[in-house]
């Protein structure tokens, strides 16, 4: 297997004690975590609603004015985002002893500033539990930027650092899904976008004009075509011609809850997430597209092989090969 | 004017490729899948060139090409596949069915326009 990409993950840090914050920041830096802090506690739920790509929540037991209130906050977070592990920082030894069984279930672990090893264990177990080969991560990013740049020729497409999410909240209103299946992976790719943002960029696209303005169907079709382009390139780059295909045909139901913009792929695994931006620098305009890879049915990165020959093929895409 | 049939389930591709070819003096007819492509080809005998996707609902592009030859008995229309697929096994199947060429998406109009004009003349 090729080398492994040092992926990052975003964690929500609910902490007031400055000394503890310093230790946690250092821990985040050492463990590929990006800590997000909230200034006003009253904004926590609103911030949770706007950050749909988190990996975990780090909550201090003295974050609220009493332990009961902190537990109540954990309950609210758990109700809103049950897929996010909450790790509780205790001020005294890191045990669950004082908490009731019901309260304990809100947290996946506890830790103290003097002993961060339980926190490290949670991060490894809940966030960085799957390894992703570097060539795969880099390749996905490259082929998707290329597909986006081709579809939106007047915009500059770029990719941010890929990361791991445990969130199940869908970004925007439009998403496309396509299955991926090979001898080394089985799952789905998902693209997510905001309808209004895509409509805005289509407003000055060659596909639309005053007589034929873009509507939600245009958005659906464009996102579908980008998905198709990425899917085709993914197969060309990462699935060998003689790949025997998946060894199993098992399936699990996917569940989508529209009201909560929630999707479950039936697995507790974290997702590999990419965020792309499409920018019109002349208009100071920028939109985001999120891409998830969810290998919920099978994942065997040690069997992954990048197909070297496909690099040349990819350069030639768009050209007519006459038989 | 030469007629080209574009068969693709993606309206984005139909609009983009169709718009480009129309702007460049070609008459374009569109179909949404292989089944629709066969019926459009039957209904429009003047079609000289078919530009088709591979992966489509109802009937895929390669099955459509095989049926153009076997069921319609049409051996003269030129077919070019425009697809995200680059698998040599699929290309071989296309060749065997009489496909004239293969383009891996995305479509780069300018570089293939002259060939299209020749094939559809």
């Amino acid at each position: 297997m090729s080398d492994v990409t040092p992926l990052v993950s975003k964690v929500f840090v609910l902490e007031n004690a400055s000394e503890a914050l310093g230790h946690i920041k250092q821990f985040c830096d050492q463990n590929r975590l990006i800590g997000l802090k909230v200034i006003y506690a009253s904004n926590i739920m609103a911030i949770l609603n706007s950050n749909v790509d988190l990996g975990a929540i780090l909550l201090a037991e003295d974050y609220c004015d009493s332990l009961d209130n902190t537990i109540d906050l954990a309950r609210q977070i758990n109700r809103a985002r049950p897929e996010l592990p909450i790790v509780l920082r205790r001020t005294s030894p890191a045990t669950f002893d004082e908490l009731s069984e019901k309260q304990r279930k809100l947290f996946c672990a506890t830790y103290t500033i003097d002993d961060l090893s339980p926190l490290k264990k949670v991060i490894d177990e809940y966030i960085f539990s799957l390894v992703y080969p570097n060539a795969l991560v880099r390749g996905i990013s490259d082929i998707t930027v290329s597909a986006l740049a081709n579809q939106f020729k007047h915009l500059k497409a770029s990719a941010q650092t890929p990361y791991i999410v445990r969130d199940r909240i869908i970004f925007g209103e439009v998403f496309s899904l396509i299955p991926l299946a090979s001898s080394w992976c089985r799952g789905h790719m998902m693209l997510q976008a905001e309808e209004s943002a895509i409509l805005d960029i289509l407003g000055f696209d060659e596909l639309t004009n005053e007589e034929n303005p873009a509507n939600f169907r245009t958005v659906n079709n464009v996102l579908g075509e980008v998905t198709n382009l990425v899917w085709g390139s993914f197969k060309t780059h990462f699935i060998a011609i003689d790949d025997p295909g998946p060894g199993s045909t098992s399936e699990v139901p996917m569940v989508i809850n529209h009201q909560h913009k929630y999707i479950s792929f039936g697995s507790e695994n974290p997702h590999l997430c990419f965020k792309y931006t499409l920018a019109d620098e002349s208009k100071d305009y920028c939109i985001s597209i999120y891409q998830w890879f969810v290998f919920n049915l099978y994942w065997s990165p040690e069997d992954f092989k990048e197909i070297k020959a496909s690099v040349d093929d990819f350069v030639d895409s768009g050209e007519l090969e006459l038989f | 004017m030469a007629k080209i049939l574009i068969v693709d389930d993606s309206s984005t591709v139909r609009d983009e490729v169709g718009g480009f070819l129309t702007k460049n003096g070609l008459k374009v007819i569109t179909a949404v899948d292989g089944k629709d492509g066969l019926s459009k080809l039957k209904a429009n005998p003047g079609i000289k060139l078919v530009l088709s996707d591979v992966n489509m609902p109802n009937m895929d592009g390669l099955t459509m090409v095989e049926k153009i030859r076997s069921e319609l008995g049409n051996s003269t229309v030129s077919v070019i596949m425009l697809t995200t697929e680059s698998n040599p096994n699929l290309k071989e199947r296309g060749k065997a069915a009489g496909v004239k060429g293969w383009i891996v998406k995305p479509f780069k109009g300018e570089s293939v326009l002259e060939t299209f004009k020749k094939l559809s003349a």
Side-chain angles (χ1 to χ4, degrees):
Chain A
M1 190 177 71
S2 58
D3 54 333
V4 173
T5 297
L7 294 161
V8 297
S9 188
K10 296 179 187 175
V11 294
F12 203 23
V13 182
L14 301 176
E15 183 71 65
N16 291 322
S18 55
E19 192 192 339
L21 269 172
H23 283 94
I24 291 169
K25 185 180 181 316
Q26 195 179 12
F27 177 86
C28 287
D29 292 344
Q30 289 166 350
N31 290 279
R32 300 181 277 140
L33 298 175
I34 298 168
L36 305 178
K37 249 196 82 190
V38 58
I39 296 171
Y40 300 108
S42 55
N43 290 342
I44 289 171
M45 297 314 289
I47 290 171
L48 270 180
N49 286 331
S50 61
N51 281 276
V52 295
D53 51 0
L54 295 171
I57 311 265
L58 310 189
L59 174 65
E61 70 170 356
D62 55 358
Y63 183 68
C64 298
D65 51 14
S66 69
L67 178 60
D68 283 347
N69 285 344
T70 300
I71 300 282
D72 191 51
L73 173 63
R75 196 173 290 119
Q76 287 178 54
I77 294 170
N78 186 259
R79 201 175 296 136
R81 307 289 272 275
E83 62 277 7
L84 292 176
I86 306 175
V87 200
L88 184 70
R89 181 179 70 75
R90 309 299 312 261
T91 49
S92 52
T95 66
F96 280 125
D97 293 350
E98 300 156 41
L99 305 180
S100 69
E101 187 62 33
K102 210 172 169 186
Q103 289 171 334
R104 289 177 198 185
K105 283 185 178 169
L106 295 169
F107 306 101
C108 63
T110 62
Y111 71 102
T112 61
I113 281 304
D114 297 331
D115 180 12
L116 295 171
S117 58
L119 179 57
K120 173 82 171 94
K121 197 170 165 232
V122 166
I123 299 305
D124 290 344
E125 184 182 340
Y126 284 80
I127 298 180
F128 299 120
S129 55
L130 301 179
V131 295
Y132 295 97
N134 187 34
L136 176 69
V137 175
R138 190 193 62 239
I140 288 171
S141 180
D142 289 349
I143 62 181
T144 308
V145 166
S146 176
L148 287 168
N150 177 73
Q151 195 60 52
F152 302 101
K153 293 184 179 71
H154 55 297
L155 300 174
K156 181 175 169 24
S158 48
Q160 297 189 357
T161 304
Y163 52 103
I164 301 295
V165 300
R166 283 195 62 87
D167 254 323
R168 302 287 185 267
I169 305 295
I170 300 163
F171 170 76
E173 302 82 23
V174 197
F175 67 90
S176 65
L177 275 172
I178 196 159
L180 299 168
S182 73
S183 60
W184 58 270
C185 74
R186 248 183 105 211
H188 289 83
M189 181 186 82
M190 180 176 178
L191 286 183
Q192 308 166 61
E194 290 175 313
E195 182 180 297
S196 59
I198 301 282
L199 278 173
D200 282 348
I201 59 175
L202 289 174
F204 39 90
D205 187 89
E206 60 190 23
L207 284 175
T208 56
N209 51 54
E210 281 176 19
E211 291 164 13
N212 188 24
N215 56 35
F216 80 91
R217 289 188 178 84
T218 325
V219 175
N220 297 349
N221 291 331
V222 165
L223 203 67
E225 187 52 24
V226 173
T227 305
N228 189 35
L229 287 172
V230 176
W231 176 73
S233 291
F234 184 94
K235 291 199 299 177
T236 303
H237 282 68
F238 306 127
I239 301 179
I241 294 157
D242 56 355
D243 186 285
S248 160
T249 54
S250 65
E251 293 287 351
V252 295
M254 282 189 287
V255 178
I256 296 164
N257 183 316
H258 292 285
Q259 187 176 339
H260 296 280
K261 298 177 78 169
Y262 174 93
I263 184 165
S264 164
F265 290 85
S267 147
E268 291 296 311
N269 290 344
H271 305 157
L272 175 59
C273 178
F274 297 80
K275 184 182 178 184
Y276 303 95
T277 55
L278 287 164
D280 184 336
E281 285 161 355
S282 66
K283 293 186 172 69
D284 198 21
Y285 186 80
C286 184
I287 73 157
S288 300
I289 291 181
Y290 285 78
Q291 180 187 46
W292 283 1
F293 282 82
V294 188
F295 298 112
N296 55 329
L297 297 168
Y298 186 67
W299 181 237
S300 179
E302 57 275 17
D303 296 323
F304 165 83
K305 286 188 194 85
E306 187 179 23
I307 300 159
K308 298 290 179 196
S310 68
V311 176
D312 294 335
D313 293 344
F314 191 61
V315 172
D316 291 338
S317 66
E319 304 292 338
L320 172 62
E321 176 188 355
L322 279 172
F323 295 153
Chain B
M1 190 187 289
K3 280 188 199 167
I4 292 186
L5 174 64
I6 298 175
V7 189
D8 201 307
D9 57 319
S10 163
S11 69
T12 306
V13 172
R14 294 196 304 272
D15 291 348
E16 198 171 25
V17 178
F20 172 80
L21 296 177
T22 305
K23 265 187 214 163
N24 284 280
L26 295 163
K27 167 119 176 108
V28 168
I29 297 165
T30 58
V32 297
D33 57 36
K35 213 170 162 185
D36 189 28
L38 277 182
S39 61
K40 293 277 168 64
L41 197 59
K42 269 187 208 168
N44 295 275
I47 292 171
K48 296 285 178 63
L49 175 66
V50 177
L51 190 59
S52 176
D53 192 7
V54 170
N55 296 304
M56 293 182 287
N58 300 316
M59 185 189 293
D60 68 80
L62 290 175
T63 303
M64 180 193 73
V65 182
E66 286 157 356
K67 285 183 181 292
I68 288 173
R69 308 303 185 206
S70 64
E71 287 183 14
L72 301 189
N74 186 336
S75 56
T76 54
V77 69
S78 299
V79 183
I80 288 175
M81 309 309 291
L82 172 63
T83 174
T84 57
E85 295 283 1
S86 57
N87 185 322
N89 297 335
L90 289 176
K91 288 184 184 176
E92 281 307 314
R93 186 180 155 201
K95 259 190 215 177
V99 167
K100 284 273 195 310
W102 199 280
I103 302 172
V104 177
K105 286 179 183 175
F107 175 74
K108 288 178 192 162
E110 297 295 346
S111 63
V112 292
L113 187 61
E114 286 311 308
T115 316
F116 278 19
K117 283 185 172 171
K118 276 182 204 160
L119 286 172
S120 60

